[in-house]
Amino acid sequence: MELLQGRIRDYAWGSRTGIAELQGRPVPSAGPEAELWLGAHPGAPATVDRDGNPVSLTDLLVAEPARWLGERLVGRFGTRLPFLLKVLAADAPLSLQAHPDAEQARAGYAADTGRVNYVDPYHKPELLVALSEFEALCGFRDPAESAAAIEAFGVPALEPVMAALRTGPEGLREAVRLLLSWPAAERAGLVADVLAAKVAGPDAELARALAVDYPADPGVVVALLLHHVRLAPGEAIWMPAGNLHAYLRGTGVEIMAASDNVLRGGLTPKRVDVDELLRVLRFEVLDEPVVRPDPVAPGVVTWPVPVEDFALHRVEVTADGPPARLALPGPRVVLCRAGELTVDDGVGTVTLAAGQAAIGTAAGGELVLGGDGEGFVATSGLR
């Protein structure tokens, strides 16, 4: 194992406390810090030290793929790390968005020569585990519930949307199409009519909160079609391909397939390609958006997901207890969440403080974590 230096992304929706507190730096930070990237994604690759100089993890993988990734991973994913581990800290809502499945990504990338919607040929399923109380929108809820919520606002212009929803799940596509195709000149008036309604309850609170940042965005109403999720620390949300979602507020650990393919669906000043989004979305009711931790060993939990790109484990150890042992294939990325951890893969040992990370190659053996603290271990999902 060796130390891994991540990269912080300063998107405007980021927090000035979440990542700084994790790393033990003064708060508030000088500007918004949205994401800490711990991987080899070319957009912001992490680095390792070589003779006092930072060297991109991306470059190391290309130079020595067999050592870093192993033959099995190279055979499945090529000379790239298939997952990206992040710490995400949001103080304002992110855009409503969805990601293509693997087949859609390959076809979209081949056809989209201008790189308008598809910037790489990979899918982007995601898992987010809450570190703090975390608020998000995730997956379509029962259309009858959505129709009742919208009806309560008493906005006559929304009657076609409600009519579509009342037909059941098959009407979700038409409801989304109607809202995202709303005439630009009438969008501010639509949101204003929704806000003017004398309505109480979670749906009204959500619409009013989103309209603060997006007063002329029909995504304020699209949000009412989705589950409004409040995660406790340790709970997670799983976002497979085609799942419409948005992070609203909080800090969490996120792991995803290493891709940048995002199709937006509102709550954004950026371009929304309605036709392509409708093609990618899965118009299915998500019965249970929250994923709870699954214990797999003393002090070790995971959140099972049906993909080969990644897996995530959380490890908790104490100074007077035994170390945790994980027989997970390399490469492994370890993030110390709290306290202090020693991490040994049989090749090298590192000691991590809160906010620090390490990486080990595929040549490493069983992962042994000791000390007194909490950490997250990211690997591929190949077993």
Side-chain angles (χ1 to χ4, degrees):
M1 301 295 295
E2 56 184 313
L3 290 174
L4 184 69
Q5 185 64 47
R7 299 273 296 278
I8 292 177
R9 310 308 299 267
D10 59 353
Y11 308 135
W13 49 262
S15 167
R16 296 182 65 186
T17 59
I19 295 175
E21 286 178 345
L22 172 67
Q23 296 184 327
R25 293 185 281 111
V27 295
S29 56
E33 297 178 335
E35 296 179 341
L36 171 65
W37 286 25
L38 297 165
H41 190 284
T47 61
V48 296
D49 181 82
R50 290 291 181 269
D51 300 321
N53 297 309
V55 177
S56 164
L57 182 58
T58 304
D59 293 342
L60 292 175
L61 299 186
V62 172
E64 299 181 277
R67 174 174 175 265
W68 278 96
L69 299 169
E71 292 183 3
R72 190 161 179 239
L73 216 64
V74 171
R76 173 66 178 84
F77 297 105
T79 58
R80 66 185 190 94
L81 192 65
F83 61 86
L84 174 61
L85 181 67
K86 296 180 179 180
V87 177
L88 182 146
D91 265 1
L94 283 68
S95 61
L96 286 165
Q97 58 190 266
H99 311 297
D101 63 26
E103 182 178 348
Q104 289 167 337
R106 286 191 296 268
Y109 183 75
D112 186 6
T113 56
R115 301 293 170 252
V116 176
N117 290 318
Y118 295 91
V119 296
D120 58 57
Y122 310 116
H123 68 165
K124 192 186 177 187
E126 302 173 347
L127 175 78
L128 182 134
V129 179
L131 296 180
S132 67
E133 291 186 358
F134 198 94
E135 189 177 359
L137 302 170
C138 184
F140 290 112
R141 63 177 175 171
D142 185 332
E145 293 180 13
S146 299
I150 294 173
E151 184 177 21
F153 289 95
V155 178
L158 288 171
E159 181 54 45
V161 176
M162 292 181 283
L165 293 171
R166 292 186 188 112
T167 67
E170 60 272 18
L172 282 168
R173 175 186 293 273
E174 178 63 6
V176 173
R177 186 195 68 79
L178 285 168
L179 289 169
L180 294 186
S181 303
W182 210 268
E186 299 175 15
R187 293 182 172 189
L190 172 67
V191 176
D193 288 345
V194 169
L195 298 183
K198 304 299 183 183
V199 181
D203 291 305
E205 292 176 5
L206 173 63
R208 293 183 183 113
L210 296 176
V212 170
D213 294 298
Y214 302 103
D217 193 321
V220 170
V221 184
V222 175
L224 302 178
L225 309 184
L226 307 177
H227 291 283
H228 185 191
V229 177
R230 291 179 174 87
L231 301 176
E235 293 182 328
I237 45 176
W238 158 241
M239 288 148 289
N243 177 61
L244 192 61
H245 64 278
Y247 301 138
L248 302 181
R249 192 165 282 101
T251 301
V253 167
E254 185 181 28
I255 189 166
M256 62 180 63
S259 170
D260 265 343
N261 287 323
V262 176
L263 292 159
R264 293 177 176 84
L267 305 182
T268 178
K270 297 181 179 179
R271 177 177 177 272
V272 175
D273 187 329
V274 177
D275 290 340
E276 189 62 18
L277 177 67
L278 293 175
R279 193 180 73 83
V280 165
L281 282 179
R282 294 181 179 174
F283 294 98
E284 305 165 351
V285 175
L286 183 61
D287 292 327
E288 179 51 74
V290 178
V291 182
R292 291 170 178 83
D294 180 18
V296 294
V300 182
V301 301
T302 190
W303 297 263
V305 293
V307 293
E308 295 181 329
D309 307 73
F310 60 79
L312 185 67
H313 292 73
R314 186 186 68 207
V315 178
E316 294 178 300
V317 292
T318 59
D320 57 355
R325 298 178 178 273
L326 285 80
L328 300 172
R332 284 78 59 98
V333 175
V334 180
L335 167 69
C336 182
R337 156 75 168 91
E340 185 176 273
L341 296 175
T342 60
V343 188
D344 182 4
D345 66 351
V347 177
T349 303
V350 296
T351 300
L352 302 177
Q356 290 186 310
I359 188 168
T361 71
E366 181 184 49
L367 202 62
V368 181
L369 293 92
D372 192 351
E374 175 190 2
F376 287 84
V377 179
T379 67
S380 80
L382 284 176
R383 296 291 183 267

